[in-house]
């Protein structure tokens, strides 16, 4: 009976979840759907009728269990509302204050929640590998696969389930598997699985997923330690949501979980990562008041915070005072400061700090110390200083491995100092430290970037001579150099014979050569290479596809660009709206409007929705041909789909309608656009464009709409209209515009008004000329 009670509890929860999402109940779940509900549960709306009958019968038998489960499901459905309340709840400082409510000396030592260390044995377990294989086939999922996976799940012990979660390269896939497993009959997650899932999510920005897992633990009565809340905090922090991260402390307080040192350290870490060092220091004081004694991890977080904001003196003072506070600094404390000093190339201070390590903390610099200095200096481009520390380490009897040497070689190559890099490689041989593929690849890449291709090829041959087999990265570096040296066809040939040399090109290799061919104008070869790339299982990105489409269109090969797009689409490449819009723009550039509209139809058929740029491109092309009625229909359609017109859209509409003199139709369309997306200077642009086309009567009619405000844009528009009147010899009309500006407290341009005044005098309008200049005198503005 308990087992039956548990399963109908779960089914009732699923029913309530689907009722909330307006779905029908079912049991036939898919493993991975494109999205899942707020409670993390999503399944297909089609199921077997027999299962539904069993479900209904079971509800009748379960009785009170159903009622209890349904109320539980309702509380799950209200999870989003709870999050909304949390957002409107306490402030950041209030969240930090909660720790002071746990005063006293009765704090009991909490027993740690059971966890397992996942080793190679679990990760390579046959069951784990088979489950992971099935998960990778999720795109071809069917009931047989799901049944097999369900059978495997029931044979997995908690450590193996944890191994499956940790084996996923994409944490979203791990989260979906966690939810799927949680819904299965006769299976229930062990506590350690929840903690493993939270640990996996804490390394990502999937903060909502982590929050849901934590809520699921709370609902099911699983003990939540401070560490569980800490995982959620870190995930929120990675997502850049500091306020939500700190409010996890409030959730912890509501759950009655007493804070410990681990959650305090997590809080300080989150504050430091968000550049809130002062708040972190205040929180340190509060945790000490409650009797939680900071440890070396606490102080190391604060040291890192000081270094991040360039307060190195404060960091050193903190290290110096740690011993008096009962916490001796460790090597990480010193390494943190050393890393900052290496970045700033303050070598003397680094050496002084190494002396302090020995004198103040009795910490002897070891090989790890020197490796840290070598890598940090190399990372920031200070190869000479890194080499000096390398020699100092070897003089003291430490053995620096090829990784340290490679870091310095790479730093030299990044600076283009290839002679020093080659010399260091020779020195490695003399010291019995043979360079590896990383070292050689750094040198090949350095030569290739400088265009010294022959030397890069010699280095590749030297690799083979010394028994070091070049890998794909080595060849890609050489091919990239060939492409930037105008030798893309040679690079293409190297890909063709790659199998003979026992290396396999990857997506980056193909991309480098494809762009090389494109830059050299060999577009047909670039398209062929893309198709070969797809056949090898590497799909080009939308950006790569778009660059090639652009090049084809710029060379008047728009039809070829369309065919290339269709091929990529048929091969399963990720085609986006920008790719379609680029082809549409290509057709518009050559005046083939029907071809552009045909591509628009293809977009709809491919379920790709045009954006404002697509519609604007087509409008401008139709407007250029005088087909304004068709163009206007496109804009109205764009507005009906909820798309906001861009400034470019406004400019295009204004230009084309003014070009053909259809001002009234333009104003009607602009009113519809302004309802959707206000644009302050729209009438300014209309008047200025009418002036450009010499339609001054229509421009004067709209002047009243512009002069409702007194901005610089309005003054500029009035000046444009006045200059247009002057060009036509209509000085009196220009005078009237200037008079309207004065009435609106806008001061016209003095030099322009002087021209108007001179023209008025020539036209015999002496009173108007004197009156115009008198207005400037009244405002204290005099002629120069």
């Amino acid at each position: 009976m308990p087992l039956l009670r548990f399963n109908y509890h779960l089914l009732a929860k699923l029913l309530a979840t689907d009722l909330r999402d307006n779905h029908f109940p079912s049991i036939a779940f898919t493993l991975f759907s494109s999205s899942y509900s707020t409670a993390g549960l999503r399944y297909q709306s089609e199921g077997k009728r027999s299962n539904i009958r069993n479900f209904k019968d079971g509800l009748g038998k379960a009785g009170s269990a159903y009622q209890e489960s349904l109320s539980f499901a309702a509380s799950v459905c209200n999870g989003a509302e709870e999050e909304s309340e949390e957002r409107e709840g306490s402030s950041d400082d209030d969240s930090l204050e909660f720790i002071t409510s746990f005063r006293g000396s009765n704090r009991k030592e909490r027993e740690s929640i059971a966890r397992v260390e996942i080793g190679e044995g679990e990760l390579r377990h046959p069951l784990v590998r088979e489950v992971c294989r099935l998960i990778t086939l999720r795109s071809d999922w069917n009931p047989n696969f799901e049944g097999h996976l369900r059978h495997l799940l029931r044979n997995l012990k908690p450590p193996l389930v944890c191994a499956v979660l940790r084996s996923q390269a994409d944490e979203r896939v791990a989260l979906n598997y966690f939810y799927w497993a949680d819904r299965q009959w006769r299976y229930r997650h062990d506590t350690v699985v929840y903690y493993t899932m939270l640990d996996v999510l804490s390394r990502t920005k999937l903060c909502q997923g982590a929050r849901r897992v934590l809520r699921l633990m709370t609902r099911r009565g699983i003990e939540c330690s401070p560490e569980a809340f800490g995982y959620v905090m870190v995930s929120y922090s990675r997502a850049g949501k500091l306020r939500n991260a700190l409010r996890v402390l409030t959730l912890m307080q509501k759950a009655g979980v007493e804070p410990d040192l681990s959650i305090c350290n997590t809080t300080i870490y989150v504050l430091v990562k968000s550049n809130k060092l002062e708040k972190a220091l205040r929180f340190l004081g509060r945790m000490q008041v409650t009797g939680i004694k900071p440890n070396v991890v606490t102080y190391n977080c604060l040291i890192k915070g000081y270094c991040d904001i360039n307060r190195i003196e404060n960091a050193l003072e903190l290290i110096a005072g740690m011993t008096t506070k009962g916490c001796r600094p460790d090597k990480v404390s010193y390494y943190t400061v050393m890393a900052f000093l290496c970045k700033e190339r303050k070598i003397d201070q680094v050496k002084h700090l190494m002396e302090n390590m020995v004198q103040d903390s009795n910490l002897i610099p070891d090989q790890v110390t020197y490796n840290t200095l070598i890598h940090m200096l190399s990372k920031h481009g200070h190869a000479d200083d890194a080499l000096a520390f390398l020699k100092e380490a070897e003089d003291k009897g430490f053995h620096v491995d090829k990784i340290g040497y490679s870091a310095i070689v790479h730093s030299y190559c990044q600076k283009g100092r290839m002679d020093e890099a080659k010399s260091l490689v020779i020195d490695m041989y003399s010291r019995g430290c043979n360079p590896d593929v990383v070292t050689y690849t750094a040198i090949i890449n350095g030569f290739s970037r400088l265009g010294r291709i022959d030397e890069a090829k010699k280095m590749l041959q030297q690799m083979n001579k010394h028994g070091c087999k070049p890998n794909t990265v080595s060849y890609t570096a050489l091919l990239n150099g060939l492409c930037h040296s105008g030798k893309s066809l040679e690079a293409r040939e190297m890909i063709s014979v790659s199998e003979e040399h026992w290396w396999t090109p990857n997506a980056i290799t193909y991309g480098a050569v494809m762009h090389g061919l494109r830059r050299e104008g060999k577009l047909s070869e670039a398209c062929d290479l893309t198709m070969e790339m797809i056949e090898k299982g590497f799909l080009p990105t939308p950006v790569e596809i778009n660059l090639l489409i652009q090049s084809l269109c710029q060379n008047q090969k728009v039809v070829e660009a369309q065919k290339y797009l269709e091929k990529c689409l048929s091969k399963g490449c990720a085609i986006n709206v920008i790719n379609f819009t680029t082809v549409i723009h290509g057709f518009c550039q050559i005046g083939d409007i029907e071809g552009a509209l045909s591509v628009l139809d293809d977009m709809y058929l491919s379920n790709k929705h045009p954006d404002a740029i697509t519609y604007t491109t087509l409008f401008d092309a139709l407007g250029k041909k005088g087909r304004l009625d068709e163009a206007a229909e496109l804009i109205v359609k764009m507005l009906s789909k909820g798309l906001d017109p861009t400034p470019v859209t406004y400019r295009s509409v204004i230009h084309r309608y003014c070009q053909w003199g259809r001002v009234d139709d333009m104003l009607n369309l602009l009113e519809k656009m302004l309802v959707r997306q206000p644009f302050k200077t729209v009438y300014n642009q209309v008047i200025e464009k009418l002036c450009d086309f010499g339609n001054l009567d229509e421009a004067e009619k709209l002047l009243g709409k512009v002069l409702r405000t007194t901005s610089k844009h309005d003054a500029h528009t009035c000046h444009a209209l006045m200059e247009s009147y002057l060009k036509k010899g209509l000085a009196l009309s220009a005078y009237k515009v200037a008079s309207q500006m004065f009435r609106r407290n806008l001061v016209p341009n003095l030099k322009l008004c002087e021209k108007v005044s001179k023209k008025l005098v020539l036209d015999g309008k002496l009173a108007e000329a004197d009156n115009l200049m008198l207005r400037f005198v009244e405002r204290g503005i005099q002629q120069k």
Side-chain angles (χ1 to χ4, degrees):
M1 190 63 184
L3 178 61
L4 180 66
R5 182 183 181 89
F6 166 74
N7 285 295
Y8 286 109
H9 173 101
L10 175 59
L11 292 175
K13 177 175 65 172
L14 293 174
L15 172 61
T17 304
D18 262 9
L19 289 176
R20 180 197 62 201
D21 290 339
N22 296 321
H23 290 117
F24 292 101
S26 65
I27 308 302
F29 301 103
T30 54
L31 176 59
F32 299 108
S33 59
S34 59
S35 60
Y36 40 83
S37 66
T38 304
L41 306 170
R42 182 89 174 198
Y43 44 94
Q44 290 181 336
S45 60
E46 296 181 357
K48 295 182 179 179
R49 294 182 179 178
S50 60
N51 285 336
I52 295 177
R53 285 198 298 272
N54 293 337
F55 174 68
K56 293 178 179 177
D57 295 340
L59 287 180
K61 295 176 183 178
S64 60
Y66 166 72
Q67 296 296 334
E68 178 187 348
S69 302
L70 196 59
S71 63
F72 173 85
S75 64
V76 173
C77 294
N78 292 329
E81 296 177 8
E82 289 182 5
E83 285 193 0
S84 177
E85 291 174 2
E86 288 166 17
R87 285 193 291 269
E88 296 173 0
S90 58
S91 65
D92 297 351
D93 289 333
D94 292 338
S95 300
L96 297 176
E97 285 285 356
F98 97 97
I99 193 172
T100 58
S101 63
F102 291 92
R103 297 175 182 270
S105 58
N106 295 326
R107 182 177 287 104
K108 296 180 181 179
E109 193 68 27
R110 178 185 294 268
E111 294 183 5
S112 61
I113 304 296
R115 289 175 183 79
V116 292
E117 292 293 332
I118 308 301
E120 288 295 320
E122 287 83 2
L123 294 173
R124 295 184 178 181
H125 195 282
L127 288 177
V128 173
R129 296 174 68 176
E130 178 62 12
V131 170
C132 293
R133 185 187 71 83
L134 289 174
I135 290 175
T136 59
L137 299 174
R138 60 189 180 276
S139 58
D140 301 321
W141 200 250
N142 60 52
N144 291 332
F145 276 145
E146 185 177 7
H148 185 34
L149 188 65
R150 189 181 295 112
H151 175 73
L152 291 173
L153 176 66
R154 292 170 185 163
N155 292 282
L156 289 178
K157 294 181 180 180
L160 298 182
V161 177
C162 297
V164 171
L165 295 176
R166 293 192 184 278
S167 298
Q168 305 309 313
D170 188 341
E171 291 80 4
R172 292 169 296 185
V173 175
L175 182 61
N176 285 338
Y177 175 76
F178 173 87
Y179 286 137
W180 175 87
D182 186 59
R183 294 193 296 264
Q184 301 312 304
W185 184 268
R186 295 182 181 178
Y187 174 81
R188 190 168 189 171
H189 281 316
D190 189 83
T191 301
V192 70
V193 178
Y194 288 97
Y195 277 88
T196 300
M197 189 71 254
L198 286 174
D199 186 21
V200 170
L201 293 174
S202 70
R203 301 169 190 177
T204 71
K205 297 179 180 180
L206 302 174
C207 49
Q208 293 301 327
R211 176 70 181 89
R212 288 172 189 141
V213 173
L214 181 64
R215 187 189 301 121
L216 198 60
M217 294 173 67
T218 305
R219 304 289 190 190
R220 293 182 178 176
I222 297 172
E223 182 181 3
C224 295
S225 69
E227 188 176 359
F229 292 91
Y231 287 140
V232 181
M233 285 186 69
V234 173
S235 185
Y236 272 121
S237 174
R238 288 184 185 276
K241 299 180 179 180
L242 174 64
R243 181 165 296 181
N244 295 88
L246 296 180
R247 283 175 182 165
V248 174
L249 297 175
T250 306
L251 296 179
M252 185 174 163
Q253 182 185 24
K254 291 179 180 178
V257 179
E258 204 170 321
D260 62 4
L261 182 58
S262 69
I263 193 67
C264 291
N265 283 344
T266 301
T267 303
I268 290 177
Y269 168 80
V270 166
L271 290 168
V272 166
K273 291 292 287 184
S274 302
N275 295 320
K276 303 291 184 183
L277 180 60
E278 296 304 323
K279 283 189 176 182
L281 292 170
R282 289 200 299 271
F283 184 79
L284 174 66
R286 290 169 187 164
M287 61 181 274
Q288 289 174 316
V289 169
T290 61
I292 300 177
K293 187 178 180 181
N295 63 1
V296 67
V297 176
T298 315
Y299 288 112
N300 286 346
C301 286
L302 295 172
I303 292 168
K304 179 69 165 58
Y306 279 125
C307 292
D308 286 343
I309 60 176
N310 203 16
R311 291 170 59 179
I312 195 69
E313 295 300 327
N314 296 104
L316 293 173
E317 289 176 8
L318 185 57
I319 291 176
M322 284 176 64
T323 304
T324 60
K325 297 175 182 178
C327 180
R328 295 176 64 85
D330 61 4
K331 289 185 178 180
V332 176
S333 311
Y334 287 97
Y335 293 164
T336 303
V337 180
M338 286 180 186
F340 174 81
L341 295 174
C342 288
K343 180 181 177 181
E344 300 295 320
R345 202 179 183 182
K346 298 180 178 179
I347 307 302
D348 292 336
Q349 293 187 38
V350 170
K351 292 180 178 179
H352 180 67
L353 194 57
M354 291 175 68
E355 294 174 0
N356 289 345
M357 279 179 60
V358 179
Q359 296 174 1
D360 300 341
S361 303
N362 198 27
L363 297 172
I364 308 300
D366 55 13
Q367 186 163 335
V368 176
T369 308
Y370 283 102
N371 283 341
T372 302
L373 294 173
I374 290 168
H375 284 282
M376 291 306 302
L377 288 167
S378 300
K379 176 183 176 181
H380 296 294
H382 310 312
D384 291 330
D385 300 305
L387 184 59
F389 275 110
L390 183 146
K391 292 179 178 179
E392 181 181 326
E394 290 182 337
D395 290 342
K396 292 184 177 181
F398 297 118
H399 174 70
V400 180
D401 58 13
K402 62 184 69 177
I403 298 176
Y405 276 100
S406 296
I408 302 176
V409 169
H410 179 73
S411 183
Y412 276 130
C413 293
Q414 288 293 104
K415 295 287 187 180
R417 299 169 61 182
M418 301 309 302
D419 293 335
E420 289 89 338
K422 284 183 65 177
S423 176
L424 188 56
V425 170
I426 296 171
D427 193 35
M428 288 177 67
Y429 279 113
S430 66
R431 295 175 181 273
C433 180
N434 293 332
D436 59 6
V437 65
V438 177
T439 315
Y440 280 113
T441 300
I443 295 180
I444 292 171
N445 185 50
F447 279 129
S448 299
R449 288 174 58 195
L450 296 175
R452 296 160 65 175
I453 304 300
D454 292 337
E455 293 176 82
K457 289 179 179 178
K458 289 179 181 178
M459 188 58 63
L460 198 67
Q461 295 171 357
Q462 189 173 342
M463 284 182 70
N464 288 306
K465 180 180 177 182
H466 288 90
C468 184
K469 185 173 179 283
N471 61 13
T472 300
V473 181
S474 310
Y475 280 102
T476 301
L478 177 58
L479 265 59
N480 192 43
L482 286 169
C483 292
H484 280 91
S485 299
K487 300 178 180 179
S488 297
L489 289 178
E490 183 180 346
R492 175 70 179 90
E493 182 62 26
M494 287 186 66
I495 288 182
S496 301
V497 299
S498 59
E499 293 183 2
E500 299 177 12
H501 293 86
W502 298 93
W503 70 280
T504 305
N506 60 17
I508 299 174
T509 313
Y510 280 109
V513 179
M514 182 184 71
H515 291 309
L517 292 168
R518 178 183 60 82
R519 285 191 297 266
E520 293 177 23
K522 298 177 176 64
L523 301 180
S524 177
E525 290 84 351
C527 291
D528 293 340
L529 185 63
T530 305
M531 294 301 112
E532 179 183 322
M533 173 183 179
I534 295 172
E535 290 174 2
K536 296 288 187 179
F538 303 110
L539 299 181
T541 66
V543 175
E544 291 175 328
I545 292 171
N546 207 60
L547 286 171
L548 189 47
I549 290 174
Q550 278 183 334
S551 297
L552 287 166
C553 291
Q554 288 169 1
N555 286 271
Q556 308 295 311
K557 297 181 178 180
V558 185
V559 176
E560 289 86 344
Q562 184 183 15
K563 291 179 180 178
Y564 172 72
L565 180 66
E566 291 172 353
K567 284 183 181 179
C568 290
L569 191 62
S570 65
K571 298 287 186 179
C573 297
I575 303 298
N576 60 21
V577 63
I578 299 174
N579 303 138
F580 278 103
T581 302
T582 305
V583 177
I584 289 173
H585 182 262
F587 276 114
C588 293
Q589 288 292 99
I590 62 174
D592 188 354
I593 306 300
E594 302 308 320
L597 293 173
S598 174
V599 177
L600 181 66
D601 294 336
D602 292 341
M603 285 188 73
Y604 291 123
L605 293 174
S606 303
N607 199 27
K608 305 296 180 184
H609 303 288
D611 58 10
I613 299 174
T614 312
Y615 284 110
T616 302
T617 302
L618 285 166
F619 173 89
D620 192 68
L622 288 167
K624 187 177 182 180
K625 296 286 187 179
R627 298 162 63 177
L628 291 175
D629 292 334
E630 296 175 64
E633 289 178 5
L634 282 175
I635 296 298
V636 172
K637 187 175 183 179
M638 179 188 81
L639 298 175
S640 68
K641 291 183 177 294
L643 296 172
D644 296 334
T646 66
V648 178
T649 311
Y650 277 106
R651 286 197 293 270
S652 181
V653 168
I654 292 168
H655 179 82
R656 294 307 175 190
Y657 273 103
C658 290
Q659 178 185 358
W660 296 99
R662 295 176 57 177
V663 180
D664 292 336
D665 293 333
M666 173 186 65
L667 295 176
N668 291 333
L669 184 57
L670 287 176
E671 286 179 6
K672 295 177 182 178
M673 294 169 64
L674 289 169
V675 171
R676 181 71 198 175
Q677 179 66 36
F679 194 56
K680 292 182 179 180
T681 62
V682 60
Y683 291 109
N684 300 72
Q685 293 188 25
V686 171
I687 293 173
E688 291 168 18
K689 188 59 65 175
L690 287 170
C691 291
D692 291 341
F693 286 104
N695 196 344
L696 302 183
D697 293 336
E698 295 291 345
E700 187 178 9
K701 291 178 183 178
L702 293 172
L703 190 61
K705 290 189 176 184
V706 168
L707 289 176
R708 289 173 183 173
T709 60
T710 56
S711 66
K712 291 182 178 179
H713 291 292
D714 299 338
H716 181 273
T717 302
C718 292
H719 293 155
L721 183 56
M722 290 172 64
E723 287 176 350
S724 298
Y725 277 130
L726 279 178
K727 288 178 182 178
K728 287 198 171 186
L730 302 174
L732 187 59
S733 297
Y735 165 76
K736 292 178 180 178
V737 174
S739 298
Q740 290 186 57
M741 290 181 69
F742 279 118
R743 285 196 294 271
R744 294 288 183 177
N745 286 326
L746 272 177
V747 179
N749 181 272
L750 178 59
K751 291 184 178 179
L752 180 59
C753 287
E754 287 174 352
K755 293 180 181 179
V756 174
S757 179
K758 289 178 182 178
K759 180 61 177 173
L760 287 169
V761 171
L762 292 175
D763 293 343
K765 306 291 184 180
L766 300 179
E768 287 81 357
D770 292 340
N771 185 44
L772 179 60
M773 302 314 298
L774 184 61
R775 294 287 185 92
F776 286 99
V777 175
E778 290 172 352
R779 284 166 174 76
I781 303 174
Q782 298 182 3
Q783 293 177 271
K784 295 182 180 179

